């Protein structure tokens, strides 16, 4: 070590040295005991539940993995562990309501790709070539990335799951990471965005039943869903049949739809599903950028949702995010990041991009009409709502997570709001979304279990997970080239 390097290290506070220690020596902030109550004391509390008031200095009590109380000066129960919330904004854990975690081995590949290029490289050459161990590594690395960014719930649309062994590997990753996950099991189809023919509806159905007879016997932190093909990647008849399968299996479904760039795009397909009485609250549409206005209303009235992934959508020709139109139709709006080969999984960023796009379009329309807006068209509260409760509802988990509501599971994020870039806090929602973002995520709790504290993930193997993803990517690239 050079003297200047030593001098530099000597000048930083003790906390700054932690990053240079080997993994085994980390963990200066011990994980809290989930068996004992946790009291978060004195944070700025943003509940995202209109029936639970926000608090400029409030407490959150967590007991048995659930939010027991939100209020001022809560009494400290016997044996409670106290987390100092001073200088922190407490928000509900974010929800990434549409992502392909299996692409974590292909990061950086799609940053400059069109949709056709992405289908031709990432999907056609790699998605069905991941081994089960590859998928476990990719999903685990992806989950750690999300947790570190304050995402506590993920909907993973897994076209990489091409066998029972893959499904088990994905479930291992979700369980081991501690994240709350909706694992959407990929169905095969004829379209370019589908997975291999091994995933016939019969095969997926049999594997779902196998899982439910075993490790998925009772719904917990990790749940199952169906990654359906949908009308733009199969026929209306197949869509109808897939929806019946989902109903028979009692599963949420998510499919990609309504993007003009899709080669087999079918206009008015949502209206067609409506006419057949097939829309329901357990249907979530990824993208849906280019539906007709009445189709948003049909989906909203049926209780379904759209999930906007604005960065990928605007890059790859899907159009502008549907979030504002679905919101105006009174429907549920979630936010996702979509293509892990192209963009990070951070939902703060995606929510900000969705908000900026919605505002930009509204301003452009108003200016064209010669009447500049007197107030912004969409608010930071709405955008943070898309990233939290909206996403939770889109994931079928609105009664479990998405807001700091007593009785819900304890999925809580604390943001550092006392730094040069994040203070002062004049409007906590605006600060949380527009100033803090993923970089300020200091503390993450999922289901009452602390997974990040003092700005660091508490998993023992974070560096190992990254190294494993890198080495497995080498093997995948060799197979893709062969
Ligand atoms: Zn997608």
């Amino acid at each position: 070590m050079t003297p200047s390097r030593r001098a530099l290290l000597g000048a930083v506070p003790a906390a700054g040295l932690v990053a240079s220690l080997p993994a085994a020596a980390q963990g200066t902030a011990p994980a809290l005991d989930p068996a004992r109550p946790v009291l978060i004391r004195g944070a700025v509390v943003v509940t995202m539940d209109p029936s639970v008031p926000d608090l400029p200095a409030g407490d959150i009590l967590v007991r048995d993995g659930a939010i027991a109380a939100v209020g001022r000066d809560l009494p400290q129960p016997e044996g409670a562990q106290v987390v100092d919330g001073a200088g922190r904004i407490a928000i509900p854990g974010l929800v990434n309501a549409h992502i392909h975690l299996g692409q974590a081995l292909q990061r950086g590949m799609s940053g400059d790709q069109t949709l056709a290029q992405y289908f031709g490289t990432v999907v056609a050459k790699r998605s069905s070539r991941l081994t089960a161990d590859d998928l476990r590594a990719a999903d685990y690395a992806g989950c750690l990335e999300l947790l570190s960014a304050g995402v506590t719930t993920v909907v993973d649309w897994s076209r990489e799951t091409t066998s029972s062994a893959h499904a088990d590997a994905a479930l291992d990753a979700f369980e081991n990471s501690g994240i709350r996950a909706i694992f959407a099991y990929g169905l095969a189809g004829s379209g370019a965005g589908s997975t291999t023919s091994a995933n016939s509806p019969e095969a997926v159905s049999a594997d779902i039943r196998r899982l439910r007879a075993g490790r998925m016997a009772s719904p917990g932190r990790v749940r199952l869903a169906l990654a359906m093909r949908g009308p733009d990647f199969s026929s209306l008849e197949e869509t109808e049949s897939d929806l019946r399968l989902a109903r028979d299996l009692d599963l949420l479904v998510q499919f990609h739809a309504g993007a003009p760039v899709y080669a087999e795009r079918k206009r008015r397909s949502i209206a067609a599903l409506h006419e057949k009485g097939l829309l329901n609250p357990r249907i979530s549409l990824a993208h849906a950028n280019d539906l007709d206005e009445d189709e948003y209303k049909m989906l909203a009235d049926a209780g379904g949702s759209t999930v906007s992934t604005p960065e990928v959508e605007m890059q790859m020709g899907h159009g502008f995010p549907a979030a504002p139109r679905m919101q105006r139709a009174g429907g549920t709006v979630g936010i996702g990041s979509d293509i892990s080969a192209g963009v990070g999984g951070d939902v703060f960023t995606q929510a900000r991009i969705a908000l900026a796009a919605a505002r930009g379009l509204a301003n452009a329309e108003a200016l064209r009409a010669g009447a500049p807006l007197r107030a912004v068209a969409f608010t930071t509260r709405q955008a943070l709502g898309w990233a939290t409760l909206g996403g939770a509802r889109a994931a079928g988990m609105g009664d479990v997570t998405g807001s700091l509501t007593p009785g819900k599971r304890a999925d809580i994020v604390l943001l550092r709001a006392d730094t040069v870039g994040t203070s002062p806090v004049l409007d906590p929602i605006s600060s949380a979304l527009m100033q803090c973002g993923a970089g300020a995520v200091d503390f993450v709790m999922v289901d009452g279990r602390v997974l990040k504290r003092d700005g660091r993930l508490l998993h023992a193997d974070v560096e190992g997970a990254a190294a494993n993803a890198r080495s497995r990517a080498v093997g995948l690239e060799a197979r893709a080239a062969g």
Side-chain angles (χ1 to χ4, degrees):
M1 184 186 288
T2 64
S4 61
R5 173 79 174 137
R6 187 177 293 127
L8 184 63
L9 280 175
V12 299
L17 285 171
V18 171
S20 68
L21 295 174
Q26 291 185 10
T28 51
L32 300 176
D33 179 2
R36 290 164 53 201
V38 173
L39 182 61
I40 298 170
R41 187 73 101 182
V44 180
V45 179
V46 171
T47 69
M48 300 310 289
D49 178 345
S51 69
V52 183
D54 292 347
L55 298 166
D59 305 342
I60 306 168
L61 177 64
V62 174
R63 199 195 289 275
D64 299 326
I67 298 170
V70 177
R72 283 193 182 83
D73 302 321
L74 295 177
Q76 184 175 332
E78 174 109 16
Q81 305 155 99
V82 175
V83 173
D84 184 6
R88 306 290 184 268
I89 302 173
I91 62 169
L94 303 185
V95 179
N96 190 323
H98 180 71
I99 189 172
H100 305 283
L101 283 174
Q103 294 170 5
L105 300 189
Q106 300 153 67
R107 285 182 174 149
M109 190 169 286
S110 299
D112 292 309
Q113 288 186 327
T114 64
L115 187 70
Q117 290 168 331
Y118 156 75
F119 276 140
T121 53
V122 173
V123 176
K125 292 213 163 61
R126 293 167 178 81
S127 291
S128 61
R129 289 196 165 99
L130 270 74
T131 65
D133 286 341
D134 289 341
L135 188 59
R136 187 184 288 102
D139 285 0
Y140 188 70
C143 287
L144 295 197
E145 180 211 355
L146 295 182
L147 288 166
S148 189
V151 173
T152 55
T153 299
V154 60
V155 180
D156 176 36
W157 206 96
S158 187
R159 65 162 69 80
E160 293 81 8
T161 295
T162 52
S163 74
S164 297
H166 287 77
D168 277 312
L171 292 168
D172 290 346
F174 299 134
E175 286 166 8
N176 294 339
S177 73
I179 204 165
R180 189 178 300 289
I182 312 300
F183 170 56
Y185 201 127
L187 273 175
S190 51
S194 266
T195 182
T196 68
S197 56
N199 284 5
S200 65
E202 295 73 25
V204 172
S205 176
D207 209 32
I208 297 274
R209 292 182 204 282
R210 173 188 71 86
L211 291 167
R212 281 189 167 155
R215 65 191 292 174
M216 303 298 286
S218 57
R221 190 167 48 72
V222 181
R223 301 194 185 185
L224 297 168
L226 215 49
M228 238 182 71
R229 301 167 280 186
D232 293 349
F233 293 94
S234 64
S235 65
L236 265 180
E237 292 69 34
E238 284 174 297
T239 298
E240 197 171 336
S241 158
D242 288 351
L243 286 172
R244 287 216 182 83
L245 175 66
R247 189 195 56 201
D248 292 346
L249 292 170
D250 190 23
L251 290 173
L252 178 98
V253 296
Q254 188 173 68
F255 56 90
H256 301 84
V261 71
Y262 291 155
E264 298 172 62
R265 167 80 203 283
K266 296 177 188 68
R267 288 211 73 89
R268 303 290 298 162
S269 57
I270 302 307
L273 295 178
H274 167 72
E275 278 155 27
K276 286 175 177 283
L278 290 170
L279 297 181
N280 66 66
R282 307 191 78 191
I283 292 181
S284 169
L285 264 60
H287 313 312
N289 307 68
D290 190 36
L291 304 185
D292 290 345
E293 291 303 318
D294 63 329
E295 292 182 292
Y296 293 111
K297 190 83 174 78
M298 291 168 190
L299 186 61
D301 289 349
S305 64
T306 60
V307 176
S308 290
T309 70
E311 194 167 25
V312 164
E313 289 168 357
M314 292 194 284
Q315 175 184 332
M316 294 192 171
H318 298 58
F320 286 97
R325 282 160 286 156
M326 188 59 170
Q327 168 119 14
R328 283 184 175 138
T332 297
V333 174
I335 292 285
S337 59
D338 199 10
I339 295 175
S340 296
V343 303
D346 155 28
V347 173
F348 284 108
T349 297
Q350 297 304 325
R352 282 180 68 179
I353 295 173
L355 180 63
R359 287 171 164 180
L361 278 175
N363 277 318
E365 275 172 32
L367 290 169
R368 258 198 309 274
L373 297 178
R374 294 177 174 211
V376 292
F378 295 91
T379 64
T380 53
R381 177 178 282 278
Q382 286 172 321
L384 192 61
W386 301 338
T388 53
L389 189 54
R393 286 177 175 149
M397 303 289 282
D399 56 346
V400 174
T401 187
S403 62
L404 300 181
T405 304
K408 282 193 177 182
R409 301 305 292 168
D411 297 349
I412 302 169
V413 168
L414 298 183
L415 302 168
R416 279 204 69 166
D418 59 354
T419 67
V420 283
T422 60
S423 60
V425 175
L426 302 181
D427 175 331
I429 288 181
S430 188
S431 284
L433 184 66
M434 309 300 256
Q435 262 90 38
C436 291
V441 172
D442 188 54
F443 171 100
V444 176
M445 173 183 275
V446 182
D447 216 41
R449 194 170 148 211
V450 180
L451 300 177
K452 186 176 185 182
R453 200 172 176 199
D454 295 342
R456 289 184 31 247
L457 290 174
L458 299 180
H459 306 72
D461 54 353
V462 179
E463 297 307 319
N468 194 20
R470 286 194 297 273
S471 70
R472 293 211 158 265
V474 173
L476 179 62
E477 288 310 301
R479 288 196 296 284

